[in-house]
Amino acid sequence: MASLPALIAVSQHGRRLAAHVEGQLIEGSPREALEEAWRTSREIVFFGAAGIAVRLIAPLLADKASDPAVVVVDDAGRYAISLISGHEGGANELARRVAAQIGAEAVLTTASEILPDGELVLGIGCSSGASASQIEALARQALVRAGASIESVAELATIDLKRGEPGLLEFAARWHLPVRFFPARALEAVEVPNPSAAVAEAAALLGSGGELVVPKLASSNVTAAVARQPRVGSLAVVGIGPGGRDQLSFEALNALRSAEVVVGYTLYTDMVREWLPLATCEDLPLGEEVERARRAIDLARGGRRVALVSSGDAGIYALAGLVYEELGEDAALEVRVVPGITAASSAAALLGAPLMSDFAAISLSDLHVPADLIRQRLEAAASADLVTVLYNPASQRRRMLLAEARQMFLRHRAPATPVGLVRNAYRSGQSVRITNLSALPVDEVDMLTIVVIGSSQSEVIGRRMVTRRAGFGN
């Protein structure tokens, strides 16, 4: 069997995509190449339409225990679809690997991607000679009672006398499940609901360290019980970028997909629902940033996988700092910050290239920073000839700071200094405008606008705002 995935390309474009994937390209017609790959490989990546792949694969299918893993990559290279042997044969993992190599999205449809992953332990007791099919039949009954499937099982657990039991080992290998073996003395010390022939219950409890969800079921020669591991929550603080789906990073999208609950300001959770219609979201209104952080932490501490979302980058004028402040010295909760495209870089890209030299970012919101301190920072940026990006420039009740900022910069810069105004970057209703410092329309700016004030090195070149790289020549 080949150690590398077999790669099959229907077209020349498919061959170009295949060049970016680790594997061995099989020559010949798609049918001939697929038949050869089916004989020699455990992993196959098919570059072409899923319909073609299905028609070619259909005559080759035998059973899920022996069929190779097959992943289909569409001609645009946008999706890596787990088609055959998703969980059992490893196609789900292959799809993830291929997607990472070509910048595609892995499409997985098996239950293991929908149900809670790996939180159940299946305790098994069996007589000598019990077959894998007999063990699987009772195991499935127990899992049905748990409202789960075999894809939700993290491991099997049993008594160490069964280390060499062929049927048990075959069942474990069939479903790629590890087996933990416990000595009889350890099992006897576990309190169980059904002390008679209690291997299944005791093993499930010892293996999970949690609670029994399905007490012992028994057939003529097999017993099975199901226990759930203690749920360990996690919190991803996710920057979703400016709001367009194309500006969302793969890491951020995966964090949102894996979350059981998405917490955020209503505007941002509405965006998440557009991308992931089945996402469970909790909306909190504008101004309740601390409450959002606390709610996300509480949910994660309760064992949930949580994504706390904000626009732009989560660590810039957003929620990452609040989360760490609320956690204090508590390092028990798993927290990760997922970066996003910032409002400043989004606005800059739409304007041209205004941030090519040193720049400052200043928020004009005085909710948490005194207005006098904001004025000091504005004066410092203006006098230092820094390109300056103004976040939260004006609201319905607060417009004076923007007017004052314009006057400060006019004392240090020419009236014709370019100023860029970007509203709703990469969202519905986007507007991009370049004006100058003297004509900056204070009354037209709101909280959805990013203001970019140029420096002495900024100019408009071909209707684009560009800052020359000072010190590097023209």
Side-chain angles (χ1 to χ4, degrees), residues 122-143 156-158 162 165-169 171 196-201 215-226:
L122 184 60
I124 296 291
C126 62
S127 304
S128 296
S131 69
S133 296
Q134 290 171 326
I135 294 171
E136 181 170 336
L138 190 64
R140 288 186 179 276
Q141 287 183 38
L143 290 166
L156 305 180
T158 190
K162 298 298 177 182
E165 189 65 43
L168 179 64
L169 298 179
F171 170 60
S196 175
V199 167
E201 291 179 345
K216 179 189 70 177
L217 299 182
S219 63
S220 59
N221 55 358
V222 181
T223 59
V226 181

Side-chain angles (χ1 to χ4, degrees), residues 442-457:
V442 172
D443 292 338
E444 298 176 18
V445 173
D446 61 13
M447 290 288 283
L448 300 177
T449 306
I450 293 292
V451 179
V452 182
I453 302 175
S455 71
S456 64
Q457 299 298 309

